[in-house]
């Protein structure tokens, strides 16, 4: 091998079927063996360490994250490690859902470089529909017309002064605004007086219907009628509902306290009431 000047020049190819002498051999960076020009690639000399620096990534169908396969490791073990450690199914929707242009019929995906926000409607659109007529922009929001002097305030802020020819227009505007404010105030006072009058009338009618001048605190359980005293409620139940009660339904029995005429449907509650509020005696 070599020449008299370079005796160590060239080496034999490491492939058994080749063994060709190559004066410029190639050293494999995986298996560290020498090969000729024909067998220098990993596949040609079947390099056993070709996948040491190989990067193979699989996309997880649960979280849409990339899972790198580790060389010389079972892919099932790598998958189990990912599922039990950093797999987040909530990330799938964020990774797969892409923001698109809101214009009807446009399927352009909005990215950082092709997204334009409209200044009037503040919506994001693609470059094709960035102008207002292209995405049917409704225009900027209208100012609130409830305040009649909004235009005058804007003019004052800009430093504009009304001319003499517009003096009559300004006076008429002030008069119209003042009349509208006065009319709204009068309408509000009229509504308030009507509501007050109706409340007084309802109060007088309630006091006239009540026998003792108090509120109707007792209510019938069957027809929802209200009465001022327990005796009136008992008389109403005996007169209206005792004979019309459906078969199989228990009649309502009310026990009246002899001291304060307060009604109880449970005798135990009546006894507790007398002991607590009347000192344990039921004599009137």
């Amino acid at each position: 091998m070599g020449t008299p000047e370079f005796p160590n020049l060239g080496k034999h190819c490491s492939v058994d079927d080749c063994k060709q002498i190559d004066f410029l051999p190639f050293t494999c960076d995986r298996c560290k063996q020498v090969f000729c020009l024909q067998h220098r690639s990993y596949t040609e000399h079947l390099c056993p360490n070709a996948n040491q620096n190989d990067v193979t990534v699989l996309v997880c169908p649960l979280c849409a994250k990339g899972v790198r396969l580790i060389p010389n490791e079972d892919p099932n073990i790598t998958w189990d490690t990912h599922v039990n450690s950093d797999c987040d199914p909530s990330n799938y929707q964020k990774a797969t859902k892409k923001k698109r242009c809101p214009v009807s019929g446009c399927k352009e995906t909005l990215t950082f470089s092709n997204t334009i926000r409209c200044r009037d409607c503040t919506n994001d659109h693609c470059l094709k529909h960035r102008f207002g007529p292209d995405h049917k922009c409704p225009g900027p929001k209208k100012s609130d017309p409830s305040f009649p002097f909004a235009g005058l305030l804007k003019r004052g802020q800009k430093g504009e002064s009304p001319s003499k020819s517009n003096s009559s227009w300004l006076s008429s505007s002030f008069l119209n605004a003042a009349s509208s404010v006065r009319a709204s105030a009068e309408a509000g006072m009229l509504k308030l007086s009507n509501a007050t009058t109706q409340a007084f009338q309802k109060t007088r009618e309630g006091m006239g219907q009540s026998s003792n001048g108090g509120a109707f605190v007792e209510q019938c359980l069957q027809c929802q009628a209200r009465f001022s005293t327990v005796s009136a409620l008992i008389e109403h139940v005996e007169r209206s509902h005792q004979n019309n009660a459906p078969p199989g339904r228990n009649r309502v029995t009310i026990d009246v306290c002899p001291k304060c005429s307060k009604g109880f449907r449970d005798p135990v509650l009546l006894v507790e009431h007398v002991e607590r509020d009347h000192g344990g005696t039921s004599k009137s």
Side-chain angles (χ1 to χ4, degrees):
M1 293 187 297
T3 61
E5 292 80 5
F6 302 98
N8 297 325
L9 183 63
K11 292 183 180 180
H12 287 279
C13 180
S14 299
V15 178
D16 296 336
D17 297 338
C18 181
K19 294 298 182 180
Q20 178 182 355
I21 298 176
D22 197 325
F23 291 97
L24 295 174
F26 296 89
T27 303
C28 180
D29 57 349
R30 299 291 188 270
C31 59
K32 305 301 180 181
Q33 294 184 7
V34 179
F35 299 95
C36 63
L37 177 64
Q38 182 181 356
H39 299 98
R40 69 183 186 278
S41 63
Y42 301 142
T43 56
E44 291 296 332
H45 67 267
L46 303 177
C47 183
N49 301 328
N51 60 346
Q52 285 184 353
N53 295 334
D54 188 17
V55 178
T56 304
V57 178
L58 299 179
V59 179
C60 177
L62 301 178
C63 62
K65 292 183 179 180
V67 182
R68 179 179 178 180
L69 298 181
I70 302 176
N72 300 326
E73 185 181 45
D74 189 2
N76 295 325
I77 298 177
T78 307
W79 173 257
D80 292 339
T81 304
H82 164 72
V83 172
N84 297 327
S85 60
D86 60 343
C87 185
D88 186 10
S90 62
N91 186 63
Y92 184 83
Q93 188 70 14
K94 299 178 182 179
T96 56
K97 186 178 180 180
K98 298 180 180 179
K99 189 176 181 181
R100 299 183 182 276
C101 182
V103 177
S104 178
C106 182
K107 299 181 180 180
E108 185 70 20
T109 303
L110 297 181
T111 60
F112 178 78
S113 59
N114 70 338
T115 302
I116 300 295
R117 174 166 293 183
C118 180
R119 292 181 295 179
D120 296 334
C121 61
T122 66
N123 293 329
D124 295 335
H125 300 85
C126 64
L127 295 177
K128 182 180 179 181
H129 302 98
R130 64 185 182 274
F131 298 110
D134 296 333
H135 62 265
K136 298 180 181 180
C137 182
K141 295 182 180 180
K142 297 181 180 179
S143 59
D144 189 7
S146 60
F147 187 61
F149 306 108
L152 297 178
L153 289 178
K154 291 181 179 179
R155 290 183 181 180
Q157 292 176 358
K158 293 181 179 179
E160 298 179 0
S161 60
S163 60
K164 295 181 179 179
S165 60
N166 296 332
S167 59
S168 60
W169 176 83
L170 290 175
S171 61
S172 61
S173 299
F174 277 108
L175 291 176
N176 293 333
S179 61
S180 62
V181 172
R182 181 179 179 181
S184 61
E186 291 179 355
M189 293 297 294
L190 181 61
K191 291 181 180 179
L192 179 60
S193 62
N194 293 336
T196 306
T197 304
Q198 293 177 2
F200 275 117
Q201 290 179 357
K202 291 182 180 179
T203 304
R204 291 175 181 176
E205 292 176 359
M207 293 178 65
Q209 293 178 0
S210 176
S211 60
N212 56 355
F216 298 103
V217 295
E218 305 295 339
Q219 185 176 6
C220 179
L221 300 177
Q222 299 185 20
C223 64
Q224 306 300 326
R226 302 181 68 87
F227 301 90
S228 59
T229 60
V230 179
S231 59
L233 174 61
I234 296 175
E235 183 180 356
H236 164 73
V237 172
E238 292 178 352
R239 182 177 66 254
S240 302
H241 303 297
Q242 189 171 5
N243 297 329
N244 298 331
R249 183 174 180 179
N250 296 329
R251 296 180 178 178
V252 178
T253 304
I254 301 177
D255 297 323
V256 182
C257 177
K259 293 286 289 183
C260 60
S261 301
K262 191 174 182 180
F264 297 90
R265 288 187 291 179
D266 190 357
V268 178
L269 298 178
L270 174 60
V271 174
E272 293 179 354
H273 163 71
V274 172
E275 293 178 353
R276 181 178 64 254
D277 298 337
H278 303 295
T281 174
S282 61
K283 295 181 180 181
S284 58

